[in-house]
Amino acid sequence: GMSRSTEKRTSGAKLKKAPTGIKGLDEITGGGLPRGRPTLVCGNAGAGKTVLAMEFLLRGALEFDEPGVYMCFEENAEELGANFASLGYDLEELCSRKKLAIDYVFIERSQIIETGEYDLEGLFVRLAYAIDSIGAKRVVLDTLEALFAGFPDEFTLRAELRRLFRWLKERGVTAVVTGERGEKSLTRHGLEEYVADCVIALDHRVTEQISTRRLRIIKYRGSSHGTNEYPFLIQDDGMSVLPITSLDLDRRESSTERISSGIPRFDDMLEGKGYYRGSTILISGGAGTGKTTFAASFAHGACRNGERCLYLAFEESEHEIIRNMRSIGMDLEPWTGKGLLQIDAFRPTSFGLEEHLSLVHKKVEEMSPSLVILDPVTNFISVGTRLDVQSMVSRLIDFFKSKQITVCFTTVSHSPASFDRTEMTVSSLMDAWIVLRQAESDGERKRSLYILKSRGMAHSNRIREFRLTDGGFQFEAE
């Protein structure tokens, strides 16, 4: 092996990456997996190891012109074919075009036990043959547990493992090796100790019928990488890791363009100009304080200016929102007719956070709105822990900001005096926070609002009273 000092020097050189083509994975790994080296992908059953490995090979072959060998120690041919087909690929066709080579290695345990001999010579010969037959640049071994199941003792096992990884490195192929999660270590046989370069852990859990999948980069030598857990989805077109957005937010230009809130008297409270385009606005208040009306006025104003607005409603249907807004003299129907306003109603509990995120991504890609409203975001995020919520909302915001989309969230406060944890969690990520209140005095309900914060602009710090009339928002005379 190399002496420590030379190793240190060489790791300073830029590590070459092999792009996976998997949505989001190349972003968080800074370009892909270490080229010419093995990566270990471990996870519990059904976590998505095979999908990741397959997609790495398929996209390698089709998008990056790097043919791949898939060596499999457990599934039979039909199952594998069906798995690939479900991602929309025809295995046989890819093999006939020499884009892929597939080899099933069935290990007969009884044989090993009888002879007491087991070494990888045969495997190396087969693997070398498969690589040469198509000029492969990528290799997948799925899963190592199945390969090493018959080993008589840990000592031999470790020696052979070391040999396998050394062999892969010498061949200069970019390899993905999958392994099952272990009890005490990441993998059952502590495979992670032998893969010096890159280790990725996948995790699939179901809590209260909501399934979440997470991906974590445990280590990636010589490369900076996100150390967080990233939610990912497996959909019919493969795997996607969130955030799909780029992570270099600080370099983006902040907009100085202003857009109206749709309520002229409220714009007056923001230097007479309204919000910044691309800002994130939180509107919070108790039930019946006028949050939806406020959000809908914003949508109405945007549509009047010919801009597209996506309204994601988590409590009411499109029909209810349109009907309720008519009662204060606001007709949203012309906008939905013209395709400027799209109202989508969801029942939030039917999905996990990741499905929500991907749904929002899809809708935004389809419509490319300049304003998005999530009303109320409270429901949207009631399905996760506080940390999940924070990472989820910050991902959403990253996504909107990358597209310069202005976004308005509403949250429901339960007590007028203090803010609940969802609001506190979410509010730190917002550019502006507007609080709506109602109080009773002299037998009437009085509504009021104030601006709790508004980044980067002067704003009124007054509490303003307003009424919801059939002519919309009416601010009380000064």
Side-chain angles (χ1 to χ4, degrees):
M2 272 198 267
S3 71
R4 264 275 168 242
S5 60
T6 53
E7 191 176 29
K8 275 276 183 329
R9 268 207 303 282
T10 49
S11 68
K14 198 86 184 93
L15 200 67
K16 290 196 170 55
K17 310 268 172 109
T20 62
I22 293 171
K23 292 197 262 304
L25 184 58
D26 292 336
E27 277 83 340
I28 61 175
T29 51
L33 304 181
R35 183 178 287 289
R37 288 155 187 265
T39 289
L40 173 66
V41 175
C42 54
N44 47 8
K49 301 184 293 291
T50 300
V51 175
L52 188 153
M54 275 183 186
E55 213 178 327
F56 161 76
L57 272 195
L58 289 166
R59 293 189 183 279
L62 296 170
E63 292 170 26
F64 307 109
D65 199 28
E66 298 200 346
V69 171
Y70 192 93
M71 197 167 251
C72 173
F73 310 113
E74 30 193 17
E75 288 191 65
N76 58 21
E78 293 80 65
E79 274 179 62
L80 200 64
N83 273 345
F84 275 98
S86 68
L87 292 173
Y89 297 97
D90 177 345
L91 266 199
E92 284 176 25
E93 191 260 344
L94 287 167
C95 290
S96 69
R97 284 169 49 206
K98 291 209 178 313
K99 293 276 183 195
L100 279 190
I102 290 179
D103 198 357
Y104 303 96
V105 178
F106 182 68
I107 291 144
E108 190 51 76
R109 308 221 172 132
S110 54
Q111 217 176 311
I112 301 162
I113 294 161
E114 278 164 34
T115 59
E117 271 178 41
Y118 187 88
D119 71 51
L120 296 184
E121 241 14 87
L123 177 75
F124 292 150
V125 170
R126 282 175 80 158
L127 201 46
Y129 175 76
I131 290 172
D132 295 340
S133 70
I134 59 167
K137 301 271 184 283
R138 300 185 177 204
V139 169
V140 165
L141 304 179
D142 186 27
T143 70
L144 281 198
E145 269 68 30
L147 171 62
F148 287 119
F151 266 96
D153 61 277
E154 278 295 287
F155 182 75
T156 323
L157 174 87
R158 286 170 185 274
E160 291 295 295
L161 266 176
R162 230 176 250 122
R163 227 175 114 204
L164 172 64
F165 286 119
R166 200 179 314 129
W167 188 89
L168 286 169
K169 245 182 192 164
E170 279 162 11
R171 294 292 308 219
V173 289
T174 308
V176 165
V177 178
T178 67
E180 296 284 331
R181 281 309 286 261
E183 291 298 308
K184 292 186 191 60
S185 55
L186 267 178
T187 53
R188 257 192 260 160
H189 299 301
L191 300 174
E192 61 274 16
E193 295 164 35
Y194 302 100
V195 181
D197 299 293
C198 182
V199 179
I200 295 174
L202 303 181
D203 173 48
H204 181 215
R205 40 196 137 154
V206 178
T207 39
E208 297 170 16
Q209 281 95 56
I210 292 167
S211 100
T212 45
R213 296 178 182 277
R214 305 281 166 89
L215 175 147
R216 196 160 103 243
I217 299 166
I218 306 281
K219 73 170 178 186
Y220 196 146
R221 185 195 269 174
S223 175
S224 63
H225 59 82
T227 45
N228 304 357
E229 283 196 310
Y230 297 92
F232 72 93
L233 293 159
I234 293 179
Q235 285 162 311
D236 40 18
D237 57 348
M239 182 172 165
S240 59
V241 184
L242 304 159
I244 299 168
T245 50
S246 57
L247 302 172
D248 46 341
L249 279 178
D250 23 300
R251 286 207 272 297
R252 247 199 309 280
E253 287 300 301
S254 298
S255 166
T256 51
E257 187 191 341
R258 302 290 276 268
I259 47 173
S260 167
S261 63
I263 306 165
R265 293 295 297 275
F266 181 73
D267 287 346
D268 293 345
M269 297 176 74
L270 297 166
E271 303 176 320
K273 301 181 194 138
Y275 307 107
Y276 286 120
R277 179 179 298 288
S279 58
T280 44
I281 298 139
L282 175 64
I283 299 169
S284 67
T289 49
K291 295 181 301 297
T292 296
T293 308
F294 208 97
S297 303
F298 200 10
H300 190 53
C303 295
R304 255 200 320 255
N305 292 333
E307 304 203 14
R308 282 197 291 277
C309 173
L310 174 63
Y311 194 124
L312 302 173
F314 296 100
E315 275 183 346
E316 300 170 290
S317 67
E318 174 175 12
H319 170 76
E320 286 173 301
I321 290 173
I322 290 176
R323 184 198 61 204
N324 297 347
M325 290 308 113
R326 278 212 184 105
S327 69
I328 60 155
M330 188 196 305
D331 189 4
L332 297 174
E333 201 133 31
W335 311 132
T336 56
K338 282 189 178 140
L340 285 174
L341 176 64
Q342 183 181 328
I343 300 176
D344 282 313
F346 291 106
R347 281 281 159 267
T349 43
S350 52
F351 308 113
L353 290 176
E354 286 75 40
E355 270 85 357
H356 268 328
L357 266 175
S358 79
L359 249 161
V360 174
H361 276 265
K362 273 211 175 88
K363 300 254 177 227
V364 168
E365 301 291 350
E366 281 161 20
M367 189 192 186
S368 56
S370 59
L371 171 67
V372 174
I373 290 164
L374 288 99
D375 177 30
V377 76
T378 325
N379 289 26
F380 184 57
I381 54 192
S382 55
V383 290
T385 66
R386 180 160 173 204
L387 205 71
D388 290 344
V389 168
Q390 186 137 21
S391 80
M392 160 114 184
V393 175
S394 57
R395 284 204 176 101
L396 265 178
I397 290 175
D398 284 1
F399 174 62
F400 293 132
K401 286 217 188 276
S402 71
K403 296 193 171 316
Q404 283 282 308
I405 294 172
T406 312
V407 58
C408 173
F409 299 90
T410 73
T411 57
V412 185
S413 337
H414 298 294
S415 81
S418 65
F419 299 107
D420 65 10
R421 71 188 181 106
T422 306
E423 283 170 308
M424 293 316 292
T425 302
V426 173
S427 65
S428 61
L429 303 165
M430 300 292 164
D431 297 317
W433 186 3
I434 295 141
V435 181
L436 305 184
R437 294 258 155 105
Q438 58 180 352
E440 288 188 19
S441 66
D442 310 330
E444 321 181 76
R445 289 212 320 223
K446 288 211 168 126
R447 290 194 166 95
S448 60
L449 68 82
Y450 63 94
I451 300 171
L452 189 67
K453 76 167 183 186
S454 182
R455 275 190 204 140
M457 69 173 89
H459 60 267
S460 159
N461 53 8
R462 302 195 34 209
I463 295 181
R464 298 287 304 269
E465 280 190 24
F466 67 92
R467 285 179 316 173
L468 295 177
T469 68
D470 50 14
F473 263 86
Q474 297 284 322
F475 279 93
E476 296 302 319
E478 296 296 279

